[in-house]
Amino acid sequence: MFIRNDYLNLQLLQQQRLSLKNMNQATERISSNSRINQYSDDIGALSVTSQLNSLLRSNAQGISNTQDAVNLLNVMDSGASTIKDMVQHLRDLIIQNQDGSLSQADKSALQLEFKQTISNIEDIAKTTKYANKTVLNNSSIQLNGSNMYVDLGSSYKNVATGNHTLETTFTVDKLPVGERAFVYGFEGKHHAIEVNPDGSLMFQTWLVDGSGTANSYTIETKAGFVKENETYKAIGVVDTDNQMLRFYVNGEEIGNLNIPADQSLFDYSTSYWGNLRLGIGNNPGGQYDYPFSGTVSSGKLYSNAFTSREISATFNGRDTNNGLVSEWAASNGIYNTAGTIMNGATLVNDKINIRSGASLADKTQIELTNLSAKGLNLYSLSIDDANALQTVDSALNTVLSAKSNIGAQINAMTYRQQQLYSSFTSSSQAVDNMFSIDTAQESSIISKEQLRLQTTLTMLQNYNDHKLKAVKLLNQ
């Protein structure tokens, strides 16, 4: 006997399944208002849209970041405008003071107002902040990685071998080559924060055993930790109460080590190796200079061992003066009495990197400024000084230049934001186009498949009826 497959029945059933599938797909598209609802709908389009969605999210964050930058610059501009008005007022007071008809009492009142205005300029520069960051009292010392450094003097040898904390904020322009670079700490037998050629950052100190033999100990990050043009706040803690050394960077503990029971910290209070330094560990030209290429904005020495809570507070801008032995800040300019700028090191404005796009390379730098009374060289100025008018005019020019720079940066960030908006809009439109549906077309598909399904069902019914009649005839 030869049995044949019922091909017509199979074809009708297959067509029925296909019609149901097409109807369900069209209904799903209309319900979701999206052409693609699962990966199998359009593999190529989904791959493209995944990339576009990633770009969209990056651009959206870039737009937010640039808006933060614009807000920061607007805060700077507002503060700078106030300082400009105050510096102009200083100029008016100087000219008024030259009026020969004024009495001595009048001149004394003008001098008092002059000094108070200078004090107000200093306060505004220090208290103008955005997101807890000071924006008008920011400078760093530029070090060239060759022979520039700052010597903070030998008057800080009083930490001896007890508890203390070293703290510094810096930016690396170039990683050192061959040898490590000295950022901040005690010269000579380095008790310092240093950068290694492999991009690791370390806290180095020397310990002495009972025989007087000194040995170097370090706590350091992984290689590649330090990135050029990025800013770091590093804190080294010597906790002799608990025989412990600890190292923190940007508020996070990098590591710690126990001070061996038979050893103590090298005594910098009795050694000629007692000066605090920025940029170079020894005098230029020596074998162990280890010059640093970058900027340093501050260096502090405390006579107590910071706790983890104090570390966190310091990183978040809530500095403590508890136990402060030495504080050096580049923003204090030439009126900083804690250290001497040497070998050509220069003051520069601090910068903030803004991530303003989808890739890591999309960075825009915001340049801060130093419009404090110290930074403007007004801090010790008297209304009666022979060069008072020239000094104030120079300060006014500095403020006006800073305002122009702020305005230019606002324009640049606004333009960058417009670029991001344009990219965001284009990408959004591209995604919408890929996912958008033609409702009329999908409705037409449903109608067509419904008709096809009905026809198939009718054909199946008629076909099966004919087969049933044939079987009945055979059975008679």
Side-chain angles (χ1 to χ4, degrees):
M1 179 184 294
F2 180 70
I3 300 175
R4 297 183 61 188
N5 290 327
D6 195 346
Y7 288 115
L8 180 58
N9 199 17
L10 290 174
Q11 286 177 339
L12 291 172
L13 288 172
Q14 184 178 4
Q15 180 59 53
Q16 191 178 38
R17 286 194 294 269
L18 181 60
S19 294
L20 286 170
K21 177 186 175 183
N22 290 340
M23 286 173 61
N24 290 334
Q25 188 178 57
T27 302
E28 185 180 19
R29 287 173 174 172
I30 291 174
S31 300
S32 64
N33 198 34
S34 175
R35 186 177 66 85
I36 304 172
N37 292 289
Q38 51 190 339
Y39 198 75
S40 59
D41 289 343
D42 192 330
I43 296 174
L46 271 180
S47 177
V48 172
T49 54
S50 294
Q51 298 176 28
L52 286 173
N53 280 325
S54 177
L55 180 63
L56 278 171
R57 294 183 63 176
S58 299
N59 282 341
Q61 187 58 55
I63 290 169
S64 177
N65 291 352
T66 52
Q67 185 57 54
D68 286 340
V70 170
N71 293 342
L72 181 151
L73 288 165
N74 283 332
V75 170
M76 289 177 62
D77 188 56
S78 177
S81 293
T82 303
I83 290 174
K84 175 185 72 69
D85 292 341
M86 288 187 169
V87 174
Q88 182 63 59
H89 183 57
L90 290 178
R91 195 178 194 282
D92 294 341
L93 291 173
I94 292 171
I95 294 173
Q96 185 178 356
N97 187 60
Q98 294 173 356
D99 185 350
S101 65
L102 295 178
S103 66
Q104 189 57 46
D106 293 333
K107 288 181 175 289
S108 295
L110 289 176
Q111 173 73 311
L112 182 62
E113 185 178 357
F114 190 83
K115 286 295 183 184
Q116 185 59 54
T117 303
I118 290 175
S119 178
N120 290 341
I121 291 172
E122 187 75 5
D123 289 342
I124 290 171
K126 289 182 176 180
T127 58
T128 301
K129 296 183 178 182
Y130 181 80
N132 206 34
K133 181 172 183 60
T134 304
V135 294
L136 292 180
N137 188 35
N138 298 80
S139 291
S140 292
I141 289 292
Q142 182 75 55
L143 303 164
N144 64 358
S146 176
N147 63 349
M148 294 180 181
Y149 67 99
V150 179
D151 194 323
L152 303 181
S154 60
S155 59
Y156 308 116
K157 294 180 179 179
N158 53 353
V159 295
T161 57
N163 290 344
H164 64 276
T165 300
L166 286 170
E167 174 196 319
T168 185
T169 301
F170 64 96
T171 302
V172 179
D173 289 345
K174 293 182 180 179
L175 289 172
V177 178
E179 296 285 357
R180 64 188 185 273
F182 183 103
V183 181
Y184 171 72
F186 290 99
E187 64 171 311
K189 285 197 178 298
H190 299 174
H191 175 47
I193 293 160
E194 300 169 301
V195 179
N196 290 313
D198 66 358
S200 60
L201 186 64
M202 75 176 183
F203 175 44
Q204 180 192 34
T205 192
W206 287 76
L207 302 178
V208 182
D209 62 21
S211 67
T213 302
N215 297 287
S216 172
Y217 289 79
T218 60
I219 306 171
E220 59 188 88
T221 69
K222 293 180 180 179
F225 179 88
V226 174
K227 302 293 190 299
E228 293 179 353
N229 300 314
E230 296 290 339
T231 300
Y232 302 90
K233 175 173 277 191
I235 299 177
V237 178
V238 178
D239 186 354
T240 55
D241 290 344
N242 298 295
Q243 289 293 100
M244 181 76 69
L245 301 174
R246 291 179 277 121
F247 186 38
Y248 299 82
V249 180
N250 291 347
E252 299 292 331
E253 184 171 2
I254 298 301
N256 60 71
L257 58 84
N258 292 316
I259 299 175
D262 64 337
Q263 300 198 28
S264 59
L265 184 71
F266 186 89
D267 192 351
Y268 292 89
S269 66
T270 59
S271 168
Y272 65 90
W273 285 320
N275 286 14
L276 276 170
R277 280 280 185 87
L278 303 175
I280 287 180
N282 290 350
N283 291 328
Q287 184 179 358
Y288 305 107
D289 290 350
Y290 307 134
F292 173 66
S293 177
T295 58
V296 183
S297 61
S298 68
K300 296 181 181 180
L301 172 65
Y302 297 85
S303 61
N304 58 311
F306 270 19
T307 64
S308 57
R309 179 175 295 181
E310 287 174 315
I311 296 288
S312 178
T314 297
F315 176 66
N316 289 302
R318 299 187 298 275
D319 291 343
T320 176
N321 289 324
N322 181 32
L324 186 62
V325 175
S326 163
E327 178 178 12
W328 174 85
S331 58
N332 285 343
I334 65 171
Y335 292 100
N336 170 43
T337 58
T340 303
I341 300 172
M342 303 183 69
N343 285 19
T346 55
L347 286 165
V348 295
N349 290 333
D350 289 346
K351 296 178 177 61
I352 297 176
N353 287 325
I354 301 294
R355 189 76 65 194
S356 58
S359 72
L360 293 177
D362 289 331
K363 291 193 300 185
T364 304
Q365 283 192 330
I366 297 297
E367 183 178 352
L368 304 180
T369 189
N370 183 10
L371 298 182
S372 67
K374 291 179 181 178
L376 294 172
N377 297 335
L378 299 172
Y379 197 66
S380 63
L381 188 65
S382 170
I383 197 171
D384 295 318
D385 287 349
N387 63 343
L389 193 59
Q390 291 88 336
T391 302
V392 169
D393 282 344
S394 176
L396 187 58
N397 287 335
T398 300
V399 176
L400 292 174
S401 176
K403 278 186 62 62
S404 296
N405 187 42
I406 292 168
Q409 291 185 91
I410 291 174
N411 290 338
M413 293 307 299
T414 302
Y415 178 69
R416 178 59 181 153
Q417 195 173 52
Q418 290 171 350
Q419 286 181 308
L420 290 169
Y421 271 124
S422 177
S423 176
F424 183 85
T425 302
S426 299
S427 299
S428 298
Q429 187 61 52
V431 171
D432 288 344
N433 290 341
M434 287 186 180
F435 280 83
S436 62
I437 65 167
D438 186 334
T439 305
Q441 181 182 359
E442 300 299 330
S443 298
S444 174
I445 290 173
I446 292 174
S447 298
K448 182 177 69 175
E449 296 300 337
Q450 282 178 335
L451 180 60
R452 183 174 291 172
L453 182 61
Q454 184 62 45
T455 302
T456 304
L457 288 171
T458 301
M459 291 177 67
L460 273 171
Q461 185 177 356
N462 293 336
Y463 177 65
N464 289 328
D465 285 345
H466 286 303
K467 287 199 299 181
L468 184 58
K469 289 177 181 179
V471 170
K472 284 181 178 180
L473 286 173
L474 291 173
N475 289 335
Q476 287 179 357

